[in-house]
Coordinates of all heavy atoms in Angstrom, one line a residue:
Q1 N -14.4 4.2 6.3 CA -13.7 5.5 6.3 C -13.3 5.8 4.9 O -13.0 4.9 4.1 CB -12.5 5.4 7.2 CG -12.9 5.0 8.6 CD -13.8 6.0 9.3 OE1 -13.6 7.2 9.2 NE2 -14.7 5.5 10.0
E2 N -13.1 7.1 4.6 CA -12.7 7.5 3.3 C -11.4 8.3 3.3 O -11.0 8.9 2.3 CB -13.8 8.3 2.6 CG -15.0 7.5 2.2 CD -14.7 6.5 1.2 OE1 -13.9 6.7 0.2 OE2 -15.3 5.4 1.3
S3 N -10.7 8.2 4.4 CA -9.4 9.0 4.5 C -8.2 8.2 4.0 O -8.3 7.0 4.0 CB -9.2 9.5 6.0 OG -8.7 8.4 6.7
I4 N -7.2 8.9 3.6 CA -6.0 8.3 3.1 C -5.3 7.5 4.2 O -4.8 6.4 4.0 CB -5.0 9.4 2.6 CG1 -5.6 10.0 1.3 CG2 -3.6 8.8 2.3 CD1 -4.9 11.2 0.8
A5 N -5.4 7.9 5.5 CA -4.8 7.2 6.6 C -5.4 5.8 6.8 O -4.7 4.8 7.0 CB -4.9 8.0 7.9
E6 N -6.8 5.8 6.7 CA -7.4 4.5 6.8 C -7.1 3.5 5.6 O -6.9 2.3 5.8 CB -9.0 4.7 6.9 CG -9.4 5.0 8.3 CD -9.3 6.4 8.7 OE1 -9.1 7.3 7.8 OE2 -9.4 6.7 9.9
K7 N -7.0 4.1 4.5 CA -6.7 3.3 3.3 C -5.2 2.7 3.4 O -5.0 1.6 3.1 CB -6.8 4.1 2.0 CG -8.1 4.6 1.7 CD -9.0 3.5 1.1 CE -10.3 4.1 0.7 NZ -11.3 3.1 0.5
A8 N -4.3 3.6 3.9 CA -2.9 3.1 4.2 C -2.9 2.0 5.2 O -2.2 1.1 5.0 CB -2.1 4.3 4.6
L9 N -3.7 2.2 6.3 CA -3.7 1.1 7.3 C -4.3 -0.2 6.8 O -3.7 -1.3 7.0 CB -4.5 1.6 8.5 CG -4.6 0.6 9.7 CD1 -3.2 0.2 10.2 CD2 -5.3 1.2 10.8
Q10 N -5.3 -0.1 6.0 CA -5.9 -1.3 5.3 C -4.8 -2.0 4.5 O -4.6 -3.2 4.5 CB -7.1 -1.0 4.5 CG -8.3 -0.8 5.2 CD -9.5 -0.5 4.3 OE1 -9.4 0.4 3.4 NE2 -10.5 -1.3 4.4
F11 N -4.1 -1.2 3.7 CA -3.1 -1.7 2.8 C -1.9 -2.4 3.6 O -1.5 -3.4 3.2 CB -2.5 -0.6 1.9 CG -1.6 -1.1 0.8 CD1 -2.1 -1.7 -0.3 CD2 -0.3 -0.8 0.8 CE1 -1.3 -2.2 -1.3 CE2 0.6 -1.3 -0.2 CZ 0.1 -1.9 -1.3
L12 N -1.6 -1.7 4.7 CA -0.5 -2.3 5.5 C -0.9 -3.6 6.1 O -0.2 -4.6 6.1 CB -0.3 -1.3 6.7 CG 0.8 -1.7 7.7 CD1 1.6 -0.4 8.1 CD2 0.2 -2.3 8.9
I13 N -2.2 -3.7 6.5 CA -2.7 -5.0 7.1 C -2.7 -6.1 6.0 O -2.3 -7.2 6.2 CB -4.1 -4.8 7.7 CG1 -4.0 -3.9 9.0 CG2 -4.8 -6.1 8.0 CD1 -5.3 -3.4 9.5
L14 N -3.2 -5.7 4.8 CA -3.3 -6.7 3.8 C -2.0 -7.2 3.2 O -1.9 -8.3 2.7 CB -4.2 -6.1 2.6 CG -5.7 -5.9 2.9 CD1 -6.3 -5.0 1.9 CD2 -6.4 -7.3 3.1
T15 N -1.0 -6.4 3.3 CA 0.3 -6.7 2.7 C 1.3 -7.2 3.8 O 2.4 -7.7 3.4 CB 0.9 -5.6 1.9 OG1 1.1 -4.4 2.8 CG2 0.1 -5.2 0.7
A16 N 1.0 -7.0 5.1 CA 1.9 -7.3 6.2 C 3.2 -6.6 6.0 O 4.3 -7.1 6.4 CB 2.1 -8.8 6.3
A17 N 3.2 -5.4 5.4 CA 4.4 -4.6 5.2 C 4.6 -3.7 6.5 O 3.7 -3.5 7.3 CB 4.2 -3.7 4.0
R18 N 5.8 -3.1 6.5 CA 6.1 -2.2 7.6 C 5.5 -0.8 7.3 O 5.3 -0.5 6.1 CB 7.6 -2.0 7.8 CG 8.3 -3.3 8.3 CD 9.8 -3.1 8.4 NE 10.4 -4.3 8.8 CZ 10.7 -4.7 10.0 NH1 10.3 -3.9 11.0 NH2 11.3 -5.8 10.3
T19 N 5.3 0.0 8.3 CA 4.7 1.3 8.1 C 5.5 2.2 7.2 O 4.9 2.8 6.2 CB 4.5 2.0 9.5 OG1 3.8 1.2 10.4 CG2 3.9 3.4 9.3
G20 N 6.8 2.2 7.3 CA 7.6 3.0 6.5 C 7.6 2.6 5.0 O 7.7 3.4 4.1
E21 N 7.5 1.3 4.8 CA 7.4 0.8 3.4 C 6.1 1.3 2.8 O 6.1 1.7 1.6 CB 7.5 -0.7 3.4 CG 8.8 -1.3 3.9 CD 8.7 -2.7 4.3 OE1 7.7 -3.4 4.0 OE2 9.7 -3.2 4.8
V22 N 5.0 1.2 3.5 CA 3.7 1.6 3.0 C 3.7 3.1 2.7 O 3.3 3.6 1.7 CB 2.6 1.2 3.9 CG1 1.2 1.8 3.5 CG2 2.4 -0.3 3.9
L23 N 4.1 3.9 3.7 CA 4.1 5.3 3.6 C 5.1 5.8 2.5 O 4.8 6.9 1.9 CB 4.5 6.0 4.9 CG 3.5 5.8 6.0 CD1 4.0 6.4 7.3 CD2 2.1 6.3 5.7
G24 N 6.1 5.1 2.2 CA 7.1 5.5 1.2 C 6.8 4.9 -0.2 O 7.6 5.1 -1.1
A25 N 5.7 4.1 -0.3 CA 5.5 3.4 -1.6 C 5.3 4.4 -2.7 O 4.8 5.5 -2.5 CB 4.2 2.6 -1.4
R26 N 5.8 4.0 -3.9 CA 5.7 4.8 -5.1 C 5.0 4.1 -6.1 O 5.1 2.8 -6.2 CB 7.1 5.2 -5.6 CG 7.9 6.0 -4.6 CD 7.4 7.4 -4.4 NE 8.1 8.1 -3.4 CZ 7.6 8.4 -2.2 NH1 6.4 8.0 -1.9 NH2 8.3 9.1 -1.3
W27 N 4.2 4.7 -7.0 CA 3.5 4.1 -8.1 C 4.4 3.3 -9.0 O 4.0 2.2 -9.5 CB 2.7 5.1 -8.9 CG 1.5 5.6 -8.1 CD1 1.3 6.8 -7.6 CD2 0.3 4.8 -7.7 NE1 0.1 6.9 -6.9 CE2 -0.5 5.7 -7.0 CE3 0.0 3.5 -7.8 CZ2 -1.7 5.2 -6.4 CZ3 -1.3 3.0 -7.3 CH2 -2.1 3.9 -6.6
S28 N 5.6 3.7 -9.1 CA 6.6 3.0 -10.0 C 7.0 1.6 -9.4 O 7.5 0.8 -10.2 CB 7.9 3.9 -10.2 OG 8.5 4.1 -8.9
E29 N 6.7 1.4 -8.1 CA 7.0 0.1 -7.5 C 5.9 -0.9 -7.7 O 6.1 -2.1 -7.4 CB 7.3 0.3 -6.0 CG 8.4 1.2 -5.7 CD 8.5 1.6 -4.2 OE1 7.6 1.2 -3.4 OE2 9.4 2.3 -3.8
I30 N 4.8 -0.5 -8.1 CA 3.6 -1.3 -8.2 C 3.2 -1.7 -9.6 O 3.1 -0.9 -10.5 CB 2.4 -0.6 -7.5 CG1 2.7 -0.3 -6.1 CG2 1.1 -1.4 -7.7 CD1 1.8 0.6 -5.4
N31 N 3.1 -3.0 -9.8 CA 2.7 -3.5 -11.1 C 1.3 -4.1 -11.0 O 1.1 -5.2 -10.4 CB 3.7 -4.6 -11.6 CG 3.4 -5.1 -13.0 OD1 2.3 -5.2 -13.4 ND2 4.5 -5.4 -13.7
L32 N 0.3 -3.4 -11.4 CA -1.1 -3.8 -11.2 C -1.4 -5.0 -12.1 O -2.1 -5.9 -11.7 CB -2.0 -2.7 -11.6 CG -2.0 -1.4 -10.6 CD1 -2.9 -0.3 -11.2 CD2 -2.4 -1.8 -9.2
A33 N -0.8 -5.1 -13.3 CA -1.0 -6.2 -14.2 C -0.5 -7.5 -13.6 O -1.2 -8.6 -13.7 CB -0.4 -6.0 -15.5
E34 N 0.6 -7.5 -13.0 CA 1.2 -8.7 -12.4 C 0.8 -8.9 -10.9 O 1.2 -9.9 -10.3 CB 2.7 -8.7 -12.5 CG 3.2 -8.8 -14.0 CD 4.7 -9.0 -14.1 OE1 5.3 -9.3 -13.1 OE2 5.2 -8.7 -15.2
K35 N 0.1 -7.9 -10.3 CA -0.3 -7.9 -8.9 C 0.8 -8.1 -8.0 O 0.8 -8.9 -7.1 CB -1.3 -9.0 -8.7 CG -2.6 -8.9 -9.6 CD -3.5 -10.1 -9.4 CE -4.7 -10.0 -10.4 NZ -5.6 -11.1 -10.2
I36 N 1.9 -7.3 -8.2 CA 3.1 -7.3 -7.4 C 3.5 -5.9 -7.0 O 3.5 -5.0 -7.9 CB 4.3 -8.0 -8.2 CG1 4.0 -9.5 -8.4 CG2 5.6 -7.9 -7.5 CD1 4.1 -10.4 -7.2
W37 N 3.9 -5.8 -5.8 CA 4.6 -4.5 -5.3 C 6.0 -4.9 -5.0 O 6.3 -5.7 -4.2 CB 3.8 -4.0 -4.1 CG 4.5 -2.9 -3.3 CD1 5.2 -1.9 -3.8 CD2 4.4 -2.6 -1.9 NE1 5.6 -1.0 -2.8 CE2 5.1 -1.5 -1.7 CE3 3.7 -3.3 -0.9 CZ2 5.2 -0.9 -0.4 CZ3 3.8 -2.7 0.4 CH2 4.5 -1.6 0.6

């Protein structure tokens, strides 16, 4: 799938985060270099 909803669900599954945490995620919270949210 190519929708944002499917990507969000995949991210939720991979991180074991709560729905609200995933939906409320901000780019400022994510450090790609250190691989940490």
Side-chain angles (χ1 to χ4, degrees):
Q1 303 295 318
E2 290 297 322
S3 77
I4 293 172
E6 276 83 13
K7 298 282 187 199
L9 181 55
Q10 282 182 307
F11 188 74
L12 181 143
I13 292 167
L14 290 167
T15 59
R18 295 178 182 271
T19 304
E21 295 163 9
V22 171
L23 295 177
R26 302 289 175 253
W27 287 112
S28 60
E29 299 170 356
I30 297 167
N31 185 325
L32 294 174
E34 292 186 20
K35 302 177 184 178
I36 294 286
W37 170 29

